Amino acid sequence: MSDLDALAAGGKPALARALANIEREPDAAATLALLDAAYARPRARVAGITGPPGVGKSTLIGALIAAWRRQGRSVGVLAVDPSSRRSGGALLGDRARIATDPADEGVFVRSLAARDRLGGLADLAMPATILLRALFDVVVVETVGVGQSETEIAELADTVVLCVQPGSGDSLQYMKAGIAEAPDIVAVTKGDLGPMAQRAAADVRAGLGHAAPGDWSPAIEIVAAPRGQGIDALIGEIDRHAAWLDGSRLAARRAAQARHWLELAVRERFGREGLSRAGALDLAEGASPFGRLRAITKSLAR
Ligand SMILES: Nc1nc2c(ncn2[C@@H]2O[C@H](COP(=O)(O)OP(=O)(O)O)[C@@H](O)[C@H]2O)c(=O)[nH]1
Ligand SMILES: [Mg+2]
């Protein structure tokens, strides 16, 4: 049985231990071997759910989890916790305020401290995401923020869902100003606010403009998570985006993310000078950035 199969058979305690090992010994041979195996066996599509604090991300994720479970899909969630930003970075256990049934083996939720250092979100969140991606049917990464962090989540997720709430134009302004990348899907939260939610959706529609022919045209869904409204439609859009990506678009997106992570990882460990000594970081499509990091580490140590 491979390490990855043993992990899958070991349930949530085994997965919690594996994530703790990634945190403690990110460069250990066993860690990198497990991550290589996980990278080679992607199962889930990764949805990134982002937006400002209080917009309703965690509530929405709770509703999405319930709906995915009803569809028979298993779900892994990483919630990046900004409040622990300077606490040194830790996989924190179930601190996220996401409602789940603890007895359900088909749902796994972990919080991750956002590291306030060069590697940023990508440093630990990427390996943790890759591991969950090999084990669950659906993976969700929750990140907080407006502007820059929306771009960071695009380095990690296949599908970016930006949450905006009625009566706040922040995210839209960042998008228009080009500070944040256009999301794949916009969820207008707190749809129970009625006409204000409709207006927010119309503003988002106007702000996003028209996609070029052949490009993805961002979807907009109004959701009221506590009432379960709009949840199935949002899942439908996430699936539609996954189908649109399927094949070469998905491969290209993931290869670009892997390359980006590799660059951050090399720079964090060896500085700018190491980065230039490492030479071209191009990764073949499907090639694991973890194995490549190990090879670069060996050659730079010589
Ligand atoms: N009225 C209304 N309140 C909501 C809705 N979704 C979330 N909230 C409330 O908004 C607040 C922030 O929700 P939370 O999910 O923690 O937001 P997060 O910080 O983006 O994860 C909480 O008080 C929620 O109860 C909604 O659909 N309607
Ligand atoms: Mg939250």
Side-chain angles (χ1 to χ4, degrees), residues 213-236:
D215 279 358
W216 170 256
S217 172
I220 301 167
E221 289 295 338
I222 298 177
V223 298
R227 301 180 181 178
Q229 279 169 14
I231 301 304
D232 289 343
L234 180 57
I235 287 180

Side-chain angles (χ1 to χ4, degrees), residues 114-157:
R115 290 191 157 189
D116 203 4
R117 53 182 221 193
L118 184 65
L121 167 61
D123 188 44
L124 254 185
M126 168 83 165
T129 301
I130 297 302
L131 193 57
L132 296 185
R133 192 177 78 177
L135 297 170
F136 294 93
D137 297 326
V138 183
V139 169
V140 174
V141 181
E142 176 185 347
T143 61
V144 181
V146 186
Q148 190 52 39
S149 64
E150 288 166 19
T151 304
E152 279 188 9
I153 192 66
E155 297 295 347
L156 206 63

